[in-house]
Amino acid sequence: MAIAYDLQDTVQNKSPVERNKLRLMVVDDEADNLDLLYRTFRRDFQVFRAESALEALSLLEQVGEMGIIISDQRMPKMNGTEFLSHVARQFPDTIRILLTGYTDVEDLVNAINAGKVFKYITKPWNPEELTTVVQQAADTYRVVKQRTNELHRTLRRESIFNKVSTATRESLDYQSMMQRIAEVLGQTFGAVCVLHPVEPDSDGNLDGQTDAYRLLPDLFRYSPTAEANPPALLTDALLSTLKSRRIQLSEVDAQETRLALPLIYQQELLAIASLHRQGHTMVWSEEDLDLLQEVAERVALAISQAKLYQRIQRQTEQMQAELAVARQIQTNLLRQSLPELETAKIQACCHPAREVGGDFFEVYEHPQGDIWLGVGDVSGKGVPAALFMASAISVLRREIYQENPPEPNQVMQNLNNSLMDDLVSNNCFITMALARYSPATQELVYANAGHIYPMVWSTSQPSAEPVYLKERGVPLGILPVWKAIAGRLTLKPSDLLLLTSDGITEATLSHPRMAGHSPMLGQQGLWELLKQQPRPLDLSKLLSCIQSQSNAQEDDQTILSLEVL
């Protein structure tokens, strides 16, 4: 049959040079015209012949797209215009030339108006004119196909770039990222993909694998079929890629080709992607290899980001664990059990803004009967403030644990002398309010180093305004010698002393109480809240009330009270 002959003659028995020629199909129901067209173009084109439109359509289904089709107009069962319309729908890039007689003008106009015909040639044709038209058609087809292929490559490249970017955005987790990349590469190139992570070989030649890198045991696999365990790349090819850091191709047999793609970012080899295809039609084209090289850069960047995220995540977890230990240590430094007295009730709360903080409080019942109360605030937050907080508590306890402790203002002076050098060198300071209450005489002696004014009021007279204890000096760590007088007053039954840190008074309210009111709570706002609290006063409930009316906690919050019974 003609079809079988043409297929065998033009596809199977042609030399490689002839197979690279542009395909041209001639369709005519007159055998003489068909032979003449075949002989005219057989030297420059792969020529396919068909004696009818239906035969031509069948041939196209078997061999695929033609570069040029020359078709007669008047043919039985299906004319040239109808045939070329079918071709245009299936192969829009094919250049279509119509052979027509003088009496077919109406059909010709319809074909040209519909955009189905590149040129028309009237019978009998001029050989030179026909050759010129066909050469123009060939040039046009090559330009169209070149641009189409470039567009296809661009769209394919952008598609996989988008897939890699999407994989990056979906998850920065290293394990899920590597698995997703294996899937993207396998799906894009229609291959089984196995991703082999690598790392620098610190031993220099571990297990004889490589001089610089070694393969890690974790593998990330993707198979386009239901295959449970797609094979890994041949060991020799992997080791070759480890050493050369270049793409490697290895043929297992005529039906299977495997490829090793190094994934490198900033000169660091991060992984090797091994891909293999099966079947003689699944060879790796130049376009595939070029695209793989471009894709490798994006994939390596994504892996680098995932590894960095994994490293940061591990460091964060380690830091959080260490901070949890530091918080426990700091909590243990603050007294967990407050003294239970017959003459006074003591409460204290401390909430750091971070895992650890710079606020602290001290409550100490001296063997001679005096009660020492203190609230301090180290400038700054976090670990540096917590370290100074620990130093301040240590020095404070050394002072007030003496058999005959000095006056509160002298304790402040001694604290300043002990901590001055470290505070200045680290550009820090400490504010602190320290009081000594003597139950026997009900005398309160206090000293203040730049701290919030302590408040005293009578719980038996809710309408009375509080007294602010305003004797105060500069914060510790500002001047070489700290000087300030001690304040004194006598407390009566039902009197309550309140010490706070500025994390309480500077708490930012979510909804200020009135237009123009400062967004910070302030001491006046604190007093308004205190008046609304039920009796007896519960500091933990007061602190919860403040936090419920505030934005996110920005500073450590500490509050301490002594109520005379």
Side-chain angles (χ1 to χ4, degrees):
M1 295 178 61
I3 295 178
Y5 170 80
D6 286 339
L7 282 173
Q8 186 177 19
D9 182 50
T10 59
V11 179
Q12 296 180 359
N13 296 333
K14 291 292 184 180
S15 68
V17 173
E18 290 175 320
R19 283 199 298 269
N20 289 331
K21 292 179 181 179
L22 193 64
R23 290 178 169 186
L24 182 147
M25 176 181 281
V26 290
V27 185
D28 200 314
D29 59 341
E30 296 181 19
D32 291 341
N33 289 341
L34 206 60
D35 289 339
L36 179 58
L37 290 170
Y38 178 80
R39 290 194 302 272
T40 302
F41 298 109
R42 64 185 299 273
R43 293 182 180 277
D44 299 321
F45 298 89
Q46 285 190 64
V47 181
F48 295 75
R49 293 175 290 184
E51 296 178 354
S52 69
L54 295 179
E55 183 180 308
L57 291 174
S58 177
L59 181 60
L60 287 172
E61 289 181 1
Q62 298 178 58
V63 301
E65 182 178 297
M66 297 290 156
I68 304 169
I69 293 180
I70 302 174
S71 175
D72 186 26
Q73 168 62 12
R74 287 188 175 273
M75 294 185 292
K77 296 184 180 180
M78 181 183 293
N79 63 31
T81 303
E82 294 172 335
F83 164 63
L84 293 180
S85 296
H86 283 285
V87 173
R89 288 193 294 271
Q90 189 172 3
F91 304 106
D93 294 337
T94 297
I95 304 300
R96 299 168 294 278
I97 298 174
L98 188 66
L99 295 177
T100 180
Y102 288 108
T103 59
D104 302 324
V105 175
E106 185 176 348
D107 291 337
L108 178 62
V109 170
N110 292 334
I112 294 175
N113 288 339
K116 307 302 182 184
V117 175
F118 173 73
K119 293 283 186 179
Y120 75 93
I121 302 294
T122 58
K123 293 181 178 180
W125 63 81
N126 183 314
E128 292 183 359
E129 179 187 356
L130 179 60
T131 302
T132 300
V133 169
V134 170
Q135 190 57 52
Q136 291 174 351
D139 293 340
T140 301
Y141 178 79
R142 290 189 178 97
V143 171
V144 169
K145 292 307 291 185
Q146 180 183 0
R147 292 178 178 176
T148 301
N149 290 337
E150 288 175 355
L151 178 60
H152 173 74
R153 285 193 295 269
T154 300
L155 293 176
R156 190 181 181 200
R157 182 175 62 251
E158 292 304 318
S159 174
I160 188 172
F161 285 173
N162 289 337
K163 289 179 181 178
V164 172
S165 299
T166 300
T168 305
R169 291 192 299 267
E170 285 176 350
S171 174
L172 281 175
D173 176 71
Y174 178 74
Q175 298 289 327
S176 61
M177 171 75 75
M178 295 292 279
Q179 182 59 42
R180 184 70 184 113
I181 286 173
E183 294 171 1
V184 168
L185 291 177
Q187 292 167 359
T188 301
F189 294 97
V192 173
C193 180
V194 182
L195 208 57
H196 305 259
V198 303
E199 69 177 8
D201 185 359
S202 57
D203 295 336
N205 193 19
L206 183 62
D207 297 331
Q209 289 192 41
T210 177
D211 295 333
Y213 291 91
R214 65 189 179 105
L215 297 170
L216 296 177
D218 295 334
L219 296 178
F220 302 89
R221 304 172 183 267
Y222 168 78
S223 174
T225 65
E227 185 180 1
N229 294 303
L233 196 69
L234 299 177
T235 303
D236 290 344
L238 278 175
L239 297 183
S240 178
T241 303
L242 279 173
K243 293 177 181 179
S244 67
R245 295 156 63 102
R246 293 186 178 183
I247 192 169
Q248 300 286 334
L249 272 171
S250 60
E251 291 187 2
V252 180
D253 52 43
Q255 295 294 316
E256 183 174 355
T257 304
R258 298 184 182 179
L259 179 148
L261 178 68
L263 303 174
I264 302 171
Y265 179 70
Q266 294 185 345
Q267 306 301 317
E268 180 184 1
L269 180 62
L270 302 173
I272 297 175
S274 62
L275 301 100
H276 77 273
R277 290 170 164 175
Q278 291 184 324
H280 67 278
T281 61
M282 299 299 289
V283 295
W284 293 93
S285 66
E286 260 187 56
E287 179 184 335
D288 287 335
L289 298 180
D290 290 342
L291 182 57
L292 276 169
Q293 295 281 17
E294 295 183 46
V295 167
E297 298 178 6
R298 298 289 184 95
V299 170
L301 173 60
I303 293 176
S304 176
Q305 292 174 337
K307 290 186 71 173
L308 177 61
Y309 177 78
Q310 183 186 48
R311 186 160 53 247
I312 292 174
Q313 196 173 37
R314 288 175 178 173
Q315 291 174 349
T316 300
E317 290 172 356
Q318 180 180 0
M319 186 181 300
Q320 288 176 342
E322 293 174 354
L323 286 174
V325 174
R327 184 181 184 116
Q328 185 60 47
I329 293 173
Q330 185 179 43
T331 302
N332 292 338
L333 282 174
L334 302 175
R335 296 193 177 278
Q336 299 300 298
S337 58
L338 300 174
E340 296 183 2
L341 308 173
E342 295 182 357
T343 57
K345 178 182 178 182
I346 299 174
Q347 300 180 68
C349 295
C350 182
H351 285 191
R354 300 178 182 175
E355 284 79 0
V356 292
D359 274 16
F360 61 92
F361 69 86
E362 177 65 14
V363 178
Y364 175 60
E365 183 182 13
H366 196 275
Q368 295 181 1
D370 291 341
I371 308 299
W372 287 84
L373 307 167
V375 170
D377 183 2
V378 181
S379 61
K381 304 178 187 67
V383 175
L387 293 175
F388 277 111
M389 164 264 186
S391 297
I393 286 184
S394 177
V395 177
L396 174 62
R397 288 176 178 173
R398 184 190 67 192
E399 292 293 322
I400 64 178
Y401 283 19
Q402 298 179 52
E403 184 176 353
N404 294 301
E407 293 289 295
N409 58 335
Q410 184 61 48
V411 173
M412 289 289 198
Q413 192 175 97
N414 295 342
L415 279 169
N416 190 74
N417 292 338
S418 298
L419 302 173
M420 182 69 189
D421 291 342
D422 289 336
L423 289 171
V424 170
S425 62
N426 289 276
N427 198 28
C428 290
F429 60 87
I430 299 174
T431 67
M432 184 176 177
L434 180 65
R436 183 190 67 200
Y437 175 67
S438 302
T441 62
Q442 296 186 328
E443 181 184 41
L444 181 74
V445 182
Y446 68 92
N448 190 330
H451 201 73
I452 300 295
Y453 293 137
M455 300 167 58
V456 175
W457 75 93
S458 174
T459 59
S460 62
Q461 300 178 11
S463 59
E465 289 296 313
V467 175
Y468 295 99
L469 308 184
K470 296 188 176 182
E471 296 292 347
R472 185 164 68 176
V474 298
L476 305 178
I478 300 297
L479 298 176
V481 178
W482 188 89
K483 291 182 178 179
I485 63 173
R488 299 175 181 272
L489 74 158
T490 300
L491 299 181
K492 302 181 295 295
S494 300
D495 281 354
L496 191 147
L497 169 70
L498 188 72
L499 306 178
T500 69
S501 67
D502 59 5
I504 299 290
T505 57
E506 294 179 3
T508 304
L509 302 177
S510 302
H511 304 286
R513 297 176 182 278
M514 62 188 71
H517 190 277
S518 171
M520 289 193 303
L521 180 63
Q523 285 198 298
Q524 184 59 39
L526 175 60
W527 173 242
E528 295 297 328
L529 280 179
L530 285 166
K531 290 192 296 184
Q532 298 172 14
Q533 296 300 303
R535 298 293 182 264
L537 178 64
D538 187 327
L539 291 191
S540 61
K541 291 182 179 180
L542 172 64
L543 194 55
S544 297
C545 180
I546 293 173
Q547 292 176 343
S548 68
Q549 298 187 32
S550 306
N551 294 318
Q553 184 179 343
E554 299 175 355
D555 198 0
D556 306 328
Q557 296 179 339
T558 302
I559 189 165
L560 184 151
S561 68
L562 178 143
E563 183 177 2
V564 179
L565 300 178

